Every structure is written in structure tokens, then in C-alpha cells.
Amino acid sequence: MKHGRGLGLLMVSLIALVALSSRAQAARVDNLYVAEQLVAEQSGDVSKRQALAALEQVLIKVSGRRDIMAQTALQAVIDNPQQFIQRFSYAATSLPIQMASGQEVVAQRLRVVFEEQLIDNLLQSAGLRPLGVVRPGVLLWLVEERGGRREYIGQSDDPALGVMLERATARGLPIFRPLLDLEDEQNLPVGEAWGFFREPILQASQRYRADAVLVGRVFRDRKQAWRSNWQLFWQETVHNFDGSGQSLADQLSSAVEISADRLFAGFVAPVGGERAEIELTIEALNSFSAYAQLRRYLAELPSVRTIAVRTVEQERMVLALTLDGSLKQLQDKLRLYKRLKPQLNYGSASGEPEITYRWVDAIQ
């Protein structure tokens, strides 16, 4: 094996590397193994009912499946959901809540932290795997029609945005809003967003380097009932769908649920399914910190079982990866990492599938 000067000391220096975060990295979701709920009073323990509700929250976020509790293999743990809890705590709120007696009191916020490995093992026992902390970031353009006037909604203090973000947090889906400043208004006039004009929407969204773009229009019909239409731009596809529910909150929440289902679908694979050995070639990988960032990203992908450095030559590195999943699932995840640009594939001397990317130091 030949070692170029750029990475010649890599093999003896790996133990000293620190994985660095990158602004260009795909959206990362925090607190996947944490659930919160309002309770009437503090207690020295978490009740079975509270633990089960918290466990369901966490399993939905971690797995990416909103129907997770319907899995037959999970039913056996329902009798003892407390066994997965690592710790819990309470925090005061100013929100009212009713006790079982009907008396209204000020609620406490119960925060339950679950043991990550136990949750992952639980999913594995059901033939599932965690979705991972790296997920598609979704840019939201939201337009409301009221009294014949159309305008963007979704400022930081807008209740509509709050409803969507709350539901997105529950699904583990990163959603963020545009600045809605003069540049946005010039790049995407509200009428073009309302009309679902593809090119202006995608061009205006390039400013934010989002992985996916969700555009919604909400309005009242002739009977004054809320309605909504949505477009989800994801990779090379456009998904059109309607919201559901009687209230505005229902319409917005349903859009988050449908978007999460479609965005996560390609990343969810059963444990013990397709297994592959592949070679991943990275060109222009010119520093230890670049390697550390790449290694950290790959290690956080649940479908990547093992990572080994096969060859290093000048600024070209070949990694051997063992996948518990398909090659396409890996490629879809790598598309979320803005520092990697796909290149033409090389032939692999070992006969294993090989895919090639170029490392990009500066993100345009």
C-alpha cells in the first residue's frame, strides 16, 4: 500500500483524531431518546401509564415509524415499560392541567430519558433498526389565503409554525423556516409559492441548502372549513397531497406526518435484510480533520456496520464498508452530506461494488 504525503501518517494517527461537526452536514436531530409530558403532580417514580406514553414517543422518533406500537414483537414489553428508563426529572410550568378528581392545577413537565442501547435492542428484537440522528432537513414555505389576500405565515411567534414544529419534533423531522426577508420576497413572490411554481421555488430554496422543500397553502372553503394543499420536493421527485382534519392545527400536523412518512421511507430497512460489502472511494480528502468528519458521519449511519481503511494514496482514500441494508440506502444518506459530491465509479479490483465521491472543503 502506498501512502502519499497528504495522508501518509493517517494510519498511525487515527486514535488521536477528534470527530468535528460541519455546518455543511445534513440536519441532526437531538433528544431522540427523550420524551416529555405534562403531569398533575410530581412522584418518586414514573407510573406505568406515563412510562408507556413516553416510550411510544421515543420509539416513534427513533424508528421513524408512527405505527411502531402496532408491531407485534413490541407487545411483550408493554407490561414493563419502566425497564427502559435511564432517569427522569420534573420542571415547573405555568400551564393548567386537570387532576383525576377534576380539580385544575398548574402542570409539571415530566422529562423521561431512556437508555439508548436498550431502545436500540428493543427495535432490533422487532426486526427494526433506528433511523439515526442524521435526517433530511426540510425548508417550509407556508402561504395562507384570508379574505382574498395571500401572505406568508410562519414567523417565529406564529402559532401555526409552533404547531408544525411541535409535531415535527415528535416525529424527529427537522423543519425550518425561511427568513422571509426582502431577498426571499424577491426570489419567491407569494403568488408563485401559492401557485406551486417549481422552478422559482427550487431556486429560492437554494439559498438555504435544504435537503427537501415543503410548500403549503392553507385556506377556508365555502363552508369556512380549513383546507390545505402541499408539495414536497425531495430528491428528483415531487409529492402532491392534501392535508386532513377540521382545524388548522390538524391540517398542519397531517402535513408533517405525511412528509415524515415519505422522507423516512427510503431509510427504513428491516434488520437482517440485504447485506452488502462495498468500497467507498473519497477523492480530495486532504486533511485529518476532513477524514474525522467523514468517519463521524459514516459511523452515525445505522446501516453501516463496519468501516475500514483499505488504501490511502495521495488525497484518495478507499474505505471498505459492511452494510446492513442496500447500497441505495447508503447513497441516499450520503446525498444528505453536502461535503460529498458523487463522481463516476471506478472498477473495484476486489470485485465489490465501489462508489466514488469527491470531498468539498467549501460549500457553495
Side-chain angles (χ1 to χ4, degrees):
M1 178 172 61
K2 298 179 180 180
H3 293 259
R5 287 181 298 174
L7 288 172
L9 299 178
L10 178 63
M11 299 304 293
V12 296
S13 304
L14 295 185
I15 193 170
L17 293 179
V18 177
L20 304 176
S21 61
S22 169
R23 290 174 55 191
Q25 192 163 306
R28 294 170 54 85
V29 182
D30 297 322
N31 297 322
L32 284 176
Y33 296 83
V34 178
E36 293 184 345
Q37 56 188 282
L38 296 180
V39 297
E41 56 187 353
Q42 295 190 19
S43 173
D45 199 359
V46 179
S47 71
K48 178 180 177 180
R49 177 182 58 80
Q50 293 168 342
L52 184 58
L55 179 61
E56 182 175 4
Q57 287 184 42
V58 165
L59 288 175
I60 289 173
K61 286 194 296 182
V62 173
S63 71
R65 298 168 178 259
R66 57 171 155 165
D67 63 346
I68 186 66
M69 296 305 285
Q71 299 292 322
T72 303
L74 294 178
Q75 300 304 313
V77 306
I78 291 180
D79 286 338
N80 188 18
Q82 292 100 324
Q83 66 180 303
F84 303 101
I85 295 177
Q86 182 187 87
R87 63 183 183 275
F88 65 94
S89 60
Y90 293 91
T93 77
S94 58
L95 302 173
I97 191 174
Q98 275 195 342
M99 300 183 68
S101 63
Q103 178 185 0
E104 189 173 275
V105 297
V106 178
Q108 296 284 320
R109 189 179 304 278
L110 171 61
R111 187 174 192 266
V112 183
V113 180
F114 287 86
E115 184 64 51
E116 294 185 17
Q117 192 59 55
L118 293 181
I119 295 297
D120 291 351
N121 291 344
L122 174 61
L123 288 172
Q124 186 171 5
S125 70
L128 305 172
R129 71 160 61 88
L131 193 62
V133 298
V134 180
R135 305 187 179 194
V138 183
L139 175 65
L140 171 67
W141 301 93
L142 188 57
V143 182
E144 180 186 6
E145 182 180 68
R146 178 178 297 177
R149 180 182 177 85
R150 296 166 183 168
E151 61 181 12
Y152 284 116
I153 60 175
Q155 298 293 342
S156 58
D157 58 348
D158 194 304
L161 180 66
V163 169
M164 294 199 76
L165 294 183
E166 183 178 350
R167 177 48 48 188
T169 297
R171 286 302 306 270
L173 178 67
I175 288 183
F176 59 98
R177 67 181 181 90
L179 295 174
L180 299 181
D181 57 7
L182 181 60
E183 183 176 347
D184 280 340
E185 292 177 1
Q186 291 176 339
N187 291 342
L188 187 60
V190 68
E192 294 184 349
W194 179 271
F196 288 165
F197 295 141
R198 178 190 179 100
E199 291 307 317
I201 290 171
L202 294 181
Q203 289 179 9
S205 300
Q206 287 179 0
R207 176 187 184 187
Y208 299 97
R209 298 200 297 266
D211 301 303
V213 179
L214 179 63
V215 186
R217 54 191 183 201
V218 296
F219 56 94
R220 290 184 183 271
D221 62 18
R222 293 179 179 179
K223 297 182 179 179
Q224 293 302 299
W226 283 105
R227 295 286 182 266
S228 64
N229 311 126
W230 303 86
Q231 276 194 343
L232 176 64
F233 296 87
W234 169 234
Q235 296 179 351
E236 287 80 31
T237 62
V238 182
H239 302 283
N240 295 276
F241 60 93
D242 297 330
S244 61
Q246 296 184 350
S247 68
L248 177 58
D250 290 339
Q251 292 282 328
L252 299 177
S253 295
S254 70
V256 173
E257 296 285 12
I258 294 171
S259 298
D261 289 344
R262 293 185 175 176
L263 291 171
F264 294 162
F267 302 127
V268 176
V271 172
E274 185 177 353
R275 196 175 184 89
E277 304 285 338
I278 67 109
E279 287 186 353
L280 175 64
T281 298
I282 309 296
E283 298 178 338
L285 194 67
N286 54 14
S287 69
F288 292 154
S289 63
Y291 171 78
Q293 293 176 55
L294 173 65
R295 179 89 183 200
R296 175 184 176 183
Y297 184 81
L298 293 174
E300 289 178 335
L301 304 183
S303 63
V304 176
R305 308 294 291 180
T306 63
I307 308 169
V309 177
R310 179 155 288 176
T311 62
V312 179
E313 188 171 352
Q314 298 298 329
E315 295 182 351
R316 184 172 183 265
M317 174 182 286
V318 179
L319 299 175
L321 305 183
T322 303
L323 306 180
D324 188 3
S326 69
L327 177 59
K328 182 180 183 305
Q329 286 173 326
L330 174 66
Q331 290 173 314
D332 285 344
K333 280 284 190 177
L334 294 181
R335 292 182 67 169
L336 301 181
Y337 195 45
K338 302 301 189 298
R339 289 204 180 279
L340 294 179
K341 298 299 180 184
Q343 307 292 301
L344 293 176
N345 290 350
Y346 291 88
S348 170
S350 65
E352 298 169 351
E354 179 181 329
I355 53 178
T356 304
Y357 289 81
R358 185 175 184 84
W359 181 262
V360 179
D361 278 326
I363 305 302
Q364 303 298 323

